[in-house]
Amino acid sequence: AGVKEDSFNVLDLAEYTKNRPWWRKVFAPSSGSSAEKYNVATQLVIGGVTGWCTGFIFQKVGKLAATAVGGGFFLLQIANHTGYIKVDWKLVERDVNKAKQQLKFHRSGNKMPPEVKSRVDEVIIFLKKNVILTGGFAGGFLLGMAS
């Protein structure tokens, strides 16, 4: 007589998320472009700060990577000249020529695969919708690279 039945609604997440872009899944359904949510100053600050951080990290990682590649090349040259390793230059030349032929083949088609084209289109749409944020990011990135 005094028993209360609880009713639950079941949400099929697979159906709900089937045709939604990944950023909508992450940031909730009400998230639109940043131009709809933030004023110009806030967009510039967010873009500038994230751009500066990205540029600064990119600069540091780039220096580290250049040092590692240069040092590795230097050590390989020393090992080659002292006789620790032997390089089969004919094999290297054959592989380089094969790579050149593949590059010529891909360049002659001059068409992007459809999945790359769709991603590029998504990026262009995002950039057009968020011009101020993108401009702030670009400026911050250049400042981060310079500092």
Side-chain angles (χ1 to χ4, degrees), residues 71-87:
F73 181 71
F74 181 69
L75 289 175
L76 283 173
Q77 287 297 325
I78 289 174
N80 184 32
H81 286 293
T82 56
Y84 283 106
I85 60 173
K86 298 288 183 201
V87 178

Side-chain angles (χ1 to χ4, degrees), residues 3-15:
V3 177
K4 180 180 175 185
E5 281 192 36
D6 291 331
S7 64
F8 297 97
N9 291 331
V10 177
L11 176 64
D12 184 8
L13 290 177
E15 236 2 85

